[in-house]
Amino acid sequence: MFTLFKKVEKNPTLTIREANVRDAKGIVKLLDSVGKEKIYMVSENLGWSEEEEKQLIKRLDRGKDLILVADYGGNIVGCLTLFRYYGGRSPKVQHVGEIGISIDAKYRNVGIGSKLFEYTIDWARKRNYKKLCLSVFSSNTKAIHLYKKYGFEEEGRRRKQFKIGNEYVDEILMGLFL
């Protein structure tokens, strides 16, 4: 568990921790909010209920999969998932984890993404992952900068894979060997 800000009187503390079922409502709210921005996620509507998120958290194989939250005074302001590639259904990909990350617009660019990545990379190394991967829109330059900061490299690019507004953007595939 990481704490980014110290608690000062009535000011809330930001804590990076593994998700529990009580976080389901906040996670769904966060993902819906980021989706509605229409520029960071493929789907603008999560289509996922609080109950479905609770069930996902309950069923999570905590030795191999991870859901992290950035909790700011009881509000979920960030979330990072790390799941075995293709659900770990094949022994061919047991060593690969796929990352997804969302941060509330009001809490971006203050170090939350860095703390989520530091925790996740350490967690993955301890569980013998050999590679982490993710994809990102080419228009999301701040996220790309964060990923490169932690050693992710571009492995591929799907040109004009998505249309955001009136502009086509590439999907960049990135990987990190641990």
Side-chain angles (χ1 to χ4, degrees):
M1 182 181 323
F2 286 100
T3 301
L4 188 59
F5 304 115
K6 297 289 183 203
K7 192 171 188 174
V8 180
E9 294 181 23
K10 295 179 181 152
N11 293 337
T13 300
L14 179 80
T15 303
I16 305 299
R17 59 174 174 77
E18 294 187 33
N20 61 61
V21 293
R22 293 182 307 279
D23 299 321
K25 182 177 184 176
I27 292 170
V28 170
K29 181 181 173 186
L30 169 69
L31 296 176
D32 281 340
S33 172
V34 174
K36 286 177 183 169
E37 291 180 68
K38 299 182 181 183
I39 56 174
Y40 298 114
M41 298 170 71
V42 174
S43 177
E44 296 168 8
N45 181 355
L46 179 62
W48 188 255
S49 72
E50 178 182 345
E51 186 55 39
E52 288 169 310
E53 185 69 24
K54 283 181 182 178
Q55 292 305 314
L56 174 65
I57 294 168
K58 283 181 187 177
R59 291 189 318 264
L60 193 66
D61 181 345
R62 294 186 181 269
K64 297 182 180 174
D65 298 312
L66 175 68
I67 301 175
L68 275 185
V69 294
D71 177 334
Y72 186 65
N75 295 310
I76 304 304
V77 299
C79 180
L80 184 147
T81 58
L82 171 65
F83 295 119
R84 286 165 288 156
Y85 200 60
Y86 287 103
R89 291 185 296 271
S90 169
K92 296 174 185 171
V93 292
Q94 290 289 316
H95 64 289
V96 180
E98 187 160 22
I99 291 175
I101 184 172
S102 294
I103 299 174
D104 185 287
K106 295 182 295 275
Y107 296 90
R108 293 184 189 138
N109 304 309
V110 296
I112 294 172
S114 291
K115 290 298 180 190
L116 289 167
F117 265 80
E118 289 166 11
Y119 188 111
T120 300
I121 291 168
D122 181 59
W123 186 94
R125 280 191 173 116
K126 289 177 180 173
R127 284 156 184 82
N128 210 27
Y129 275 86
K130 302 299 180 199
K131 181 181 181 186
L132 301 178
C133 61
L134 55 84
S135 69
V136 60
F137 295 151
S138 56
S139 55
N140 193 348
T141 56
K142 289 183 180 181
I144 294 166
H145 175 78
L146 173 71
Y147 306 150
K148 287 181 176 181
K149 173 180 163 183
Y150 285 94
F152 282 79
E153 296 178 354
E154 184 173 329
E155 295 185 324
R157 183 178 287 253
R158 294 177 176 171
R159 302 222 178 267
K160 297 183 180 181
Q161 183 77 2
F162 298 101
K163 188 175 184 182
I164 299 176
N166 292 321
E167 182 182 340
Y168 289 96
V169 297
D170 298 349
E171 178 185 21
I172 300 174
L173 309 174
M174 300 184 81
L176 170 67
F177 289 94
L178 299 177

